[in-house]
Amino acid sequence: MNLIYNSEQYSVVEFGADRSLEALRFGGYEIVDKDGRREIFIAGALAQSFRRDVNQLIAGEPTVEEIDEFLGSYDSLMSQPVLLH
């Protein structure tokens, strides 16, 4: 588990591949919308697509606002509420 992005609006945690767990066979990402208090975990083909798109995005040295806008494209998929323990 590795925190790869953290802004006022979003955080992204990368989970490495774990062949013993099907959900993490290729790794995955947890994206948290802090203001919306919701999150999504993506794995498999969607995680591979996310990784590819992030690599293209960071190649252009984006601003925090541009990264947050990109992460905002996942807002419609976020349905899991963030709960504090």
Side-chain angles (χ1 to χ4, degrees):
M1 180 168 65
N2 185 28
L3 179 66
I4 61 170
Y5 182 73
N6 192 30
S7 71
E8 288 186 28
Q9 180 68 38
Y10 293 98
S11 66
V12 179
V13 175
E14 179 179 39
F15 293 83
D18 183 344
R19 305 245 184 247
S20 67
L21 298 171
E22 185 59 31
L24 289 176
R25 188 169 154 206
F26 301 105
Y29 297 90
E30 178 184 44
I31 306 169
V32 175
D33 173 359
K34 295 176 183 178
D35 286 342
R37 295 183 181 201
R38 57 197 174 138
E39 66 181 338
I40 184 173
F41 179 80
I42 57 175
L46 186 54
Q48 290 174 325
S49 174
F50 178 80
R51 184 179 301 120
R52 182 191 66 240
D53 293 346
V54 166
N55 285 335
Q56 289 175 350
L57 179 67
I58 62 174
E61 299 181 18
T63 64
V64 169
E65 291 79 17
E66 291 170 323
I67 295 170
D68 282 357
E69 182 179 334
F70 166 76
L71 293 172
S73 69
Y74 288 84
D75 282 353
S76 64
L77 300 175
M78 293 185 198
S79 60
Q80 184 67 29
V82 174
L83 303 174
L84 298 176
H85 300 275

